[in-house]
Amino acid sequence: MAGRHQLEFEVQDALGFIAILQRGRAEKLLSGFNLNYSQFTLLFLLGNDLDKEWTVSGLASHMEMKKSGISKIVSELMDRRWLSHTVCADDRRRKVVRITRTGIKKRQSTLDAMQPFIASTFAGWSASDLQAFLVHLARLKEWLDRHRDVP
């Protein structure tokens, strides 16, 4: 590989390796809070916009998981009273999943505990370094989100 193709490959390789390392560190940290990565990701997502209506199908699509997998996570978090669901009046087969007050507290306490981990990760970065990096990440995230169905 030469030139641009080599650079593209190196960026993709770095992103993959970063994802592996970040997830591993997050899993270790989250285990102390009786959460796994997928459970925390779901709590985080549902806590970002309390007014958004999420169904299990919508969550599965957004998180790029099988419906059975997300159903299991929702069920586990409902058992802990961190999530609840309501049946839609217009379609009784449709259930809207929401984070509960207890779930919001769990989410926030976990985020608070993760802050030193996040801070240490970026301790050597200036605010301008982080801002510049975030611009590129946002661009990539937006592209990937728009092209979810492209192999």
Side-chain angles (χ1 to χ4, degrees):
M1 279 185 254
R4 181 174 172 94
H5 292 296
Q6 178 66 29
L7 289 172
E8 291 168 346
F9 177 81
E10 289 177 18
V11 168
Q12 189 64 47
D13 183 55
L15 289 170
F17 192 60
I18 289 166
I20 291 167
L21 293 173
Q22 188 276 337
R23 183 167 181 148
R25 290 180 72 180
E27 286 280 3
K28 288 175 189 168
L29 179 66
L30 291 168
S31 69
F33 295 93
N34 197 25
L35 284 169
N36 66 37
Y37 189 84
S38 296
Q39 292 167 337
F40 176 72
T41 301
L42 183 56
L43 283 179
F44 186 80
L45 174 66
L46 293 174
N48 277 342
D49 184 353
L50 299 177
D51 296 325
K52 184 166 174 78
E53 292 191 353
W54 287 100
T55 62
V56 169
S57 295
L59 289 167
S61 175
H62 184 78
M63 294 178 68
E64 298 198 0
M65 294 179 69
K66 292 182 180 177
K67 190 175 175 184
S68 60
I70 200 72
S71 292
K72 180 181 176 188
I73 296 167
V74 167
S75 180
E76 291 168 351
L77 297 180
M78 285 180 65
D79 289 348
R80 296 178 190 181
R81 309 242 189 290
W82 295 340
L83 299 183
S84 65
H85 73 266
T86 55
V87 177
C88 294
D90 60 332
D91 183 352
R92 304 212 37 88
R93 296 169 297 170
R94 189 170 173 257
K95 296 176 183 172
V96 175
V97 179
R98 296 199 188 283
I99 190 169
T100 63
R101 285 188 193 145
T102 307
I104 291 169
K105 288 178 185 174
K106 179 65 173 182
R107 176 187 183 271
Q108 190 57 52
S109 67
T110 306
L111 283 171
D112 291 345
M114 290 176 77
Q115 188 52 47
F117 158 75
I118 295 167
S120 70
T121 302
F122 297 105
W125 295 53
S126 70
S128 61
D129 287 342
L130 289 170
Q131 187 59 46
F133 187 55
L134 192 56
V135 168
H136 296 291
L137 288 175
R139 182 177 174 190
L140 178 60
K141 183 175 81 169
E142 182 182 317
W143 189 93
L144 289 170
D145 194 32
R146 283 193 329 262
H147 295 88
R148 285 177 182 252
D149 295 331
V150 178

